[in-house]
Amino acid sequence: PQGQIGTFAKEYFDLFTANGERVDPMDRGGEYRSLLGLPGGSKNAAYPAVEAAATAKGMTLELGQGNDGDTLGLKKVWVYDTAKFPFYQAEVYHQFHDDFQSKAYGKKYNQLADQAFDEGRLKVTGCPDRV
């Protein structure tokens, strides 16, 4: 929800290491870039809260143009306008599994995929579809 974007941003940036890196540096390439989609992108009313959360971790935000490169080693997160770059469903397993390099995210997070299936926001892809 729009009113929770600032809270989400703080949690999101807390997932990065103290050096501003994601915890899976062995995964490389644009498909692993760090990103955040917001309605309106940098024009979203909550963008200043996102920017503050990034700055607190020594990270920067850059407007995504599509097909952007990896952010590994750059302390950067791409920000996309979801109207221009809507959610693109890939394999559900890869979008909703726990990170292998840190503690489990918990049942509430793990149930998000099932909830999205039940609400019709995710579709069966033929690839591993359940976490």
Side-chain angles (χ1 to χ4, degrees):
Q2 177 69 33
Q4 294 297 313
I5 291 174
T7 302
F8 169 83
K10 183 180 180 326
E11 184 71 25
Y12 175 73
F13 285 100
D14 281 347
L15 294 173
F16 291 84
T17 69
N19 295 328
E21 293 294 345
R22 59 179 188 256
V23 296
D24 61 348
M26 66 292 224
D27 293 332
R28 295 169 184 251
E31 62 272 23
Y32 294 102
R33 65 189 176 267
S34 299
L35 65 93
L36 183 63
L38 294 171
S42 63
K43 293 182 173 82
N44 186 289
Y47 186 80
V50 174
E51 199 167 35
T55 301
K57 287 293 278 196
M59 300 179 72
T60 61
L61 303 175
E62 191 168 326
L63 299 181
Q65 303 301 311
N67 200 30
D68 298 299
D70 197 352
T71 54
L72 188 64
L74 302 176
K75 292 185 160 188
K76 171 173 70 176
V77 170
W78 297 107
V79 177
Y80 294 94
D81 180 345
T82 56
K84 187 173 181 183
F85 299 101
F87 173 75
Y88 180 81
Q89 180 180 331
E91 299 94 344
V92 175
Y93 174 76
H94 281 109
Q95 290 184 315
F96 288 94
H97 70 70
D98 286 333
D99 185 0
F100 299 120
Q101 306 300 318
S102 60
K103 66 180 182 167
Y105 296 152
K107 288 183 181 182
K108 189 173 181 181
Y109 172 83
N110 297 138
Q111 292 169 343
L112 288 175
D114 289 332
Q115 179 181 346
F117 267 111
D118 294 345
E119 294 172 356
R121 292 183 290 121
L122 291 178
K123 307 288 184 225
V124 172
T125 64
C127 295
D129 286 316
R130 296 295 174 157
V131 178

